[in-house]
Amino acid sequence: MMGYVLKRILMVLVGYLVAVLVGLIAVVVIYAILSSLPNAPGYFELMEFTPVAVLVVPPLGMFVYFLTIILTVMQTLVFALIAEFFSLRSFWLHMLFGAAAAAAGFMLIWPDAADDPERWADMGIIAGAGLVAGLIYWLIAGRDAGFRRPLVNRLA
């Protein structure tokens, strides 16, 4: 039993750390795609290159990675505990948790973002990246969440 608990803790930690990294890459990809659309806001072009610089310059990338962890760790911990306690294993729920955690982290940086229509697109992009991060977390740790083990056909 103790070994299973330690395995779950390790899987949650690894899942979270990898999901944050993939989520940051998703932000870059989403901004790059959206900046190539006709009539895209002018600052999207700047945002196309700024996130790429974060990925290419390691110290800057590590700063953004750890800042993202600081901004999302509490809400992600709450969501992970809920998923583990109730054995919630559906991928869509983990994706929604990821989007909510990312949006909440964004709101920590820009508390007035809900009042500023120019920030709505940014919040949507961050939440979209959170969806991707939630899916990655589910692939690593969420599929086996909790202590209830799936029923296995013993005859097979």
Side-chain angles (χ1 to χ4, degrees), residues 68-90:
T68 304
I69 289 172
I70 290 168
L71 293 172
T72 61
V73 72
M74 290 309 295
Q75 57 268 33
T76 304
L77 178 62
V78 169
F79 292 146
L81 288 173
I82 290 169
E84 292 294 325
F85 185 75
F86 293 108
S87 297
L88 303 175
R89 297 180 177 158
S90 62

Side-chain angles (χ1 to χ4, degrees), residues 80-138:
L81 288 173
I82 290 169
E84 292 294 325
F85 185 75
F86 293 108
S87 297
L88 303 175
R89 297 180 177 158
S90 62
F91 73 94
W92 62 268
L93 188 62
H94 283 83
M95 290 176 70
L96 288 176
F97 281 169
F106 182 80
M107 291 300 290
L108 289 173
I109 292 177
W110 283 286
D112 62 339
D115 300 329
D116 185 4
E118 291 181 2
R119 292 283 176 221
W120 291 356
D122 293 325
M123 190 181 318
I125 290 167
I126 298 299
L131 288 171
V132 173
L135 179 63
I136 297 301
Y137 177 84
W138 175 79

Side-chain angles (χ1 to χ4, degrees), residues 1-36:
M1 179 67 170
M2 187 62 170
Y4 185 75
V5 171
L6 291 175
K7 176 186 171 196
R8 290 303 313 148
I9 291 171
L10 180 64
M11 293 304 291
V12 166
L13 180 63
V14 168
Y16 172 66
L17 294 175
V18 172
V20 168
L21 181 62
V22 172
L24 290 173
I25 293 169
V27 167
V28 173
V29 171
I30 292 169
Y31 270 116
I33 291 170
L34 291 179
S35 68
S36 67

Side-chain angles (χ1 to χ4, degrees), residues 52-69:
V52 171
V54 168
L55 293 177
V56 174
V57 179
L60 185 58
M62 293 303 291
F63 172 75
V64 171
Y65 181 70
F66 288 119
L67 180 63
T68 304
I69 289 172

